[in-house]
Amino acid sequence: MNVINIIRSVLLTSVGLGGFATLSIILIITLFTGPSADGNLTDFFESMTAVDELAELGETFAGVATSMFIMIAWLNVWLLAFTVIFSFGWSIGSHFLNVDAPGKAKLYAIHWFIVSGAFIALVIFINGFILNLSDFQAAQDITKTGTFTLTVYTTLYYTLAYYVSVLLGTARFVRSSVLLANKLPGNI
Amino acid sequence: MVLLIPFLFTAKALAKDKCQPDFTIPPPPKSLTKVSTDIKKNPVYVFFDGSLSMKGFVVKQPPQESIYINLLDQLISAADDLGSETLYHKFGRKIKQLNEKETQRMTQQNGYDCIDAATDCELDNKETRLDKVFKAITVEDDATYIITSDLFISSEELTGIRFEKMEQPLKEILRKGKSIGVLGVMNSFNGIIYDIPTNEGGTITYAGAKKRPFFVLIIGDQANVNFIKERLKQDSLMDKEDSYKFSLITSNVIKKNLNLSKSITEENLMNINSGDEGYKFTLTDEGIPIFRFKVSQGRDSVKFKFKKDDIIVKESNSVAEWKWDETLWTSRETKCKKILWRKAKLDNFSHAEIKGEDFNINIFGKKNFDGSKLRWGWRYFVVSNLYTGKNGTAAADTFSEWSVDKADAESFTKKEPKIFKTLNLVRMIKKLNFVAEEEFEPTLLASIIVDFDLEK
């Protein structure tokens, strides 16, 4: 194990995650400060809101928008946090995988699948918890379709962020065998 | 003395404090705003059916007891007690006022015979012109009218102009909030039943009946109708529950407005504990109850329970449908300082029903109302006004076993029954019900306000 290699992994993971995290942080800040009333983001969240039900209760999307933006912002904070933890966790942890026999690197693919599966499950769980079970009042205002859409979008986005970051950050001696089942060409 | 409270007749806009939205409560119905402190005596008019077919009720046939004779005596006594003056009449083809002696004769056979075989009398006692009696009952608004008859009415009398003659006065009295009590008594009968229609279009007579029902129609204020009915029950019908039936036909079957009578209390709220945090009960000067509480989302409705007999006029045609006029306000903020009420579009979400001896009100209890639409963390303010929507038809069902249709009359007679039924009785009662229904106006039973925080 080489500390320099680990630092290199951390840097590469940061590079892989950086773009996704920046976009996510911009979204989070925008949601906390309140997006433009006429913007696409507002329209997107309005399309996921049960506006007819709210209208029956005398309420409008404008009335619940702020609390909804805050809820979605917190959702992204949690998802980003766990993506960072899992990405760096795997990238650093991959250096501790002991490849001391032929074909053993491929065996660690099981570890990879378990960690990645746990990550995806956690992303889905966080979505489910915040959008259904949490104390955010706005969770009641999202339609079932909206909940599903948000879950799919965030799962895809943060899984991709996680995958790209670990693709770059995983220890070189296991990267090909573990992450890509020996399909990665050349010296990447 | 009857006190009218004019200020109650106007809709009240009530906004008690900033914690409540501006809401309006409809005025209580005029017919229920009379507060009687004592009973003012008014005239009582009694009409005895003097037709020959009634004679069989007064001809004794031991050992059978004739309730009719005794009941007529008690009726005269009760009418005397109820009225400022009591005027007795006999009717057949014409209406004739009776003096004291003639009144007493109505309980005897000779009250139905023509003394000197006068042509006028012979003609008179072969008809039962109920239409003329009904026309007479509109003479004095505050009077009580009592009619004894076998109600053996031909189909012709229940159709066209002849029925219209009966219908118009009935409509008039029902419109004035009066009621018609129908007391039917199965009595011993020793006489001839006339005018039984045949399938060929003629009529036959029948002398084989040992029993048949007679009827006492009591028309007037509900209180007076009940007074007469109770007196007759106590004095003549005690221990004879199987022999009589009673039904009250009225355009308004509601006994009282629950706000005017201030009858809604904390005891009526069933599924909220008065000891819970945030619970408060207020009764406004107008008798409007305001329930303030916190409730968890799992509770599907707010339930109230009342005694049916405190609300519905006993033995009346009852209520078939209830009507709600409801307004819901919501606020995402629950604290008074921040509260911002918004009027919701949701309405008609509550349910009322009579179940056994209880009358249940469920706010948000309507079957197809999806309670999950209500957001937890919000505050709700509900003003529910409950009206009668449609009167029931219990009265017709009560008498169905004593009734025979025109089409079945001949075949029924050929069976030589000992207990004879009344021709077109159900049809007659249904007609009365129909008239009451036509004059029906929704009556405000109660206004209830519920102000609650819905918690998770």
Side-chain angles (χ1 to χ4, degrees):
Chain A
M1 182 181 26
N2 189 333
V3 175
I4 293 170
N5 286 338
I6 292 175
I7 292 168
R8 189 167 169 265
S9 271
V10 168
L11 287 172
L12 286 170
T13 304
S14 302
V15 170
L17 202 55
F20 292 100
T22 306
L23 278 175
S24 184
I25 288 164
I26 291 169
L27 176 72
I28 289 165
I29 291 169
T30 310
L31 289 172
F32 272 129
T33 52
S36 159
D38 303 322
N40 291 335
L41 202 59
T42 304
D43 290 346
F44 173 70
F45 285 115
E46 189 171 3
S47 71
M48 290 192 298
T49 305
V51 283
D52 291 341
E53 272 186 28
L54 284 173
E56 283 192 328
L57 293 171
E59 192 52 274
T60 59
F61 172 70
V64 299
T66 306
S67 57
M68 181 171 287
F69 293 149
I70 288 170
M71 179 184 71
I72 304 295
W74 275 110
L75 172 69
N76 280 279
V77 167
W78 282 101
L79 292 176
L80 182 62
F82 277 97
T83 307
V84 170
I85 291 167
F86 271 77
S87 299
F88 284 102
W90 174 261
S91 296
I92 294 166
S94 65
H95 289 274
F96 296 90
L97 299 175
N98 188 15
V99 183
D100 54 359
K104 202 168 180 189
K106 283 187 184 174
L107 191 69
Y108 287 122
I110 295 170
H111 294 70
W112 151 254
F113 281 121
I114 289 171
V115 172
S116 300
F119 171 73
I120 293 168
L122 195 62
V123 169
I124 294 170
F125 172 77
I126 289 169
N127 268 288
F129 179 78
I130 291 187
L131 299 178
N132 292 300
L133 305 169
S134 69
D135 285 340
F136 287 106
Q137 278 188 29
Q140 308 169 90
D141 303 328
I142 298 183
T143 60
K144 282 178 184 167
T145 316
T147 305
F148 179 75
T149 309
L150 266 179
T151 306
V152 170
Y153 283 10
T154 52
T155 305
L156 287 175
Y157 183 81
Y158 287 101
T159 303
L160 187 65
Y162 164 76
Y163 189 74
V164 170
S165 62
V166 297
L167 195 63
L168 293 173
T170 303
R172 285 183 65 189
F173 60 92
V174 291
R175 189 188 297 158
S176 175
S177 317
V178 172
L179 302 186
L180 301 156
N182 221 8
K183 296 277 189 231
L184 201 65
N187 199 23
I188 297 173
Chain B
M1 193 177 72
V2 175
L3 295 174
L4 290 175
I5 310 169
F7 67 85
L8 286 170
F9 293 160
T10 50
K12 289 269 174 192
L14 302 164
K16 296 298 172 195
D17 54 50
K18 64 180 178 179
C19 266
Q20 295 174 358
D22 290 332
F23 58 92
T24 311
I25 296 291
K30 287 181 185 178
S31 58
L32 299 177
T33 49
K34 288 180 182 177
V35 181
S36 298
T37 50
D38 59 3
I39 298 168
K40 185 187 173 187
K41 287 197 166 188
N42 288 302
V44 177
Y45 294 85
V46 182
F47 297 87
F48 299 110
D49 186 342
S51 63
L52 267 179
S53 58
M54 294 295 286
K55 188 178 168 182
F57 292 118
V58 292
V59 179
K60 292 179 180 170
Q61 50 173 345
Q64 281 196 55
E65 184 192 357
S66 174
I67 301 171
Y68 186 74
I69 298 168
N70 180 257
L71 188 133
L72 245 55
D73 277 339
Q74 298 304 335
L75 183 64
I76 292 165
S77 161
D80 283 340
D81 291 345
L82 177 69
S84 54
E85 57 171 336
T86 311
L87 301 163
Y88 297 96
H89 305 78
K90 174 184 177 181
F91 71 95
R93 194 164 73 122
K94 292 175 185 167
I95 298 172
K96 182 193 168 196
Q97 192 166 341
L98 303 175
N99 59 32
E100 207 169 301
K101 199 177 169 189
E102 288 169 323
T103 303
Q104 282 307 319
R105 280 180 58 202
M106 294 312 295
T107 59
Q108 300 156 11
Q109 288 183 46
N110 57 12
Y112 301 85
D113 292 330
C114 294
I115 303 163
D116 50 4
T119 317
D120 279 357
C121 173
E122 287 291 334
L123 285 172
D124 193 57
N125 69 6
K126 285 191 174 115
E127 277 189 73
T128 306
R129 292 294 298 270
L130 266 175
D131 57 313
K132 288 191 174 176
V133 180
F134 282 164
K135 195 176 176 185
I137 63 177
T138 54
V139 172
E140 210 166 326
D141 280 356
D142 295 324
T144 303
Y145 300 89
I146 301 167
I147 304 161
T148 64
S149 172
D150 59 0
L151 290 183
F152 207 83
I153 298 166
S154 69
S155 298
E156 290 71 29
E157 284 172 278
L158 291 172
T159 50
I161 296 168
R162 294 190 71 175
F163 182 69
E164 268 177 36
K165 281 183 182 173
M166 285 204 273
E167 191 183 31
Q168 288 310 322
L170 287 173
K171 277 187 176 176
E172 205 173 309
I173 58 157
L174 288 167
R175 202 177 297 136
K176 287 172 185 163
K178 309 284 178 189
S179 303
I180 305 170
V182 184
L183 175 70
V185 184
M186 185 57 80
N187 195 67
S188 83
F189 186 80
N190 187 6
I192 300 166
I193 301 165
Y194 296 91
D195 297 329
I196 303 164
T198 62
N199 296 335
E200 287 75 35
T203 58
I204 52 171
T205 58
Y206 181 63
K210 297 292 176 196
K211 274 186 165 187
R212 66 182 288 231
F214 71 87
F215 298 87
V216 181
L217 303 182
I218 313 156
I219 301 167
D221 283 338
Q222 263 174 35
N224 294 343
V225 172
N226 280 330
F227 175 85
I228 298 288
K229 181 200 78 179
E230 289 303 323
R231 280 288 296 269
L232 295 180
K233 270 171 80 170
Q234 282 169 20
D235 300 337
S236 302
L237 302 168
M238 191 73 91
D239 304 325
K240 295 184 178 74
E241 278 78 15
D242 295 339
S243 303
Y244 72 90
K245 297 170 189 288
F246 180 81
S247 203
L248 191 76
I249 297 163
T250 175
S251 56
N252 178 27
V253 297
I254 296 299
K255 240 180 192 175
K256 59 186 177 186
N257 175 283
L258 298 181
N259 302 118
L260 271 181
S261 58
K262 301 197 172 176
S263 306
I264 306 175
T265 67
E266 293 173 87
E267 308 294 317
N268 300 116
L269 181 60
M270 300 314 292
N271 59 346
I272 306 291
N273 192 340
S274 60
D276 288 350
E277 185 203 343
Y279 176 88
K280 193 182 169 191
F281 172 72
T282 318
L283 193 66
T284 68
D285 295 342
E286 293 81 13
I288 312 294
I290 303 176
F291 294 90
R292 169 90 181 104
F293 51 84
K294 292 177 180 178
V295 66
S296 67
Q297 202 183 22
R299 192 147 308 162
D300 58 348
S301 64
V302 182
K303 293 176 182 168
F304 295 88
K305 188 179 269 187
F306 301 88
K307 281 185 182 167
K308 186 187 83 175
D309 289 346
D310 290 345
I311 292 167
I312 308 289
V313 175
K314 215 175 174 185
E315 292 163 318
S316 72
N317 34 340
S318 193
V319 179
E321 278 177 28
W322 297 95
K323 199 180 99 178
W324 289 95
D325 171 25
E326 298 186 285
T327 314
L328 170 69
W329 285 267
T330 65
S331 170
R332 292 175 60 242
E333 297 291 346
T334 57
K335 293 206 166 85
C336 272
K337 283 179 186 172
K338 292 182 177 177
I339 212 154
L340 179 64
W341 289 115
R342 291 178 191 274
K343 201 172 182 178
K345 287 180 188 168
L346 280 177
D347 59 4
N348 199 18
F349 40 75
S350 298
H351 178 68
E353 64 175 0
I354 295 166
K355 207 170 188 179
E357 293 306 305
D358 296 325
F359 175 65
N360 300 325
I361 292 178
N362 286 1
I363 308 287
F364 296 113
K366 196 170 182 177
K367 274 178 187 168
N368 57 357
F369 175 72
D370 183 3
S372 64
K373 280 180 183 172
L374 297 185
R375 282 8 185 192
W376 57 262
W378 291 24
R379 183 163 166 177
Y380 297 87
F381 194 90
V382 185
V383 177
S384 291
N385 302 304
L386 177 60
Y387 295 83
T388 53
K390 191 182 173 188
N391 279 356
T393 55
D397 305 335
T398 308
F399 292 103
S400 58
E401 64 175 308
W402 287 357
S403 178
V404 63
D405 292 339
K406 182 187 174 186
D408 302 326
E410 188 180 358
S411 57
F412 174 69
T413 310
K414 280 180 180 168
K415 287 177 193 164
E416 299 186 350
K418 296 294 174 202
I419 298 172
F420 207 83
K421 295 181 177 181
T422 302
L423 181 66
N424 289 323
L425 178 61
V426 163
R427 207 172 147 193
M428 170 71 178
I429 303 282
K430 277 186 177 170
K431 287 264 186 190
L432 293 177
N433 263 328
F434 181 70
V435 172
E437 212 171 280
E438 277 191 331
E439 294 310 313
F440 167 81
E441 281 181 16
T443 306
L444 178 65
L445 173 65
S447 297
I448 299 174
I449 293 176
V450 176
D451 176 6
F452 64 97
D453 294 352
L454 187 62
E455 296 181 328
K456 196 178 175 190

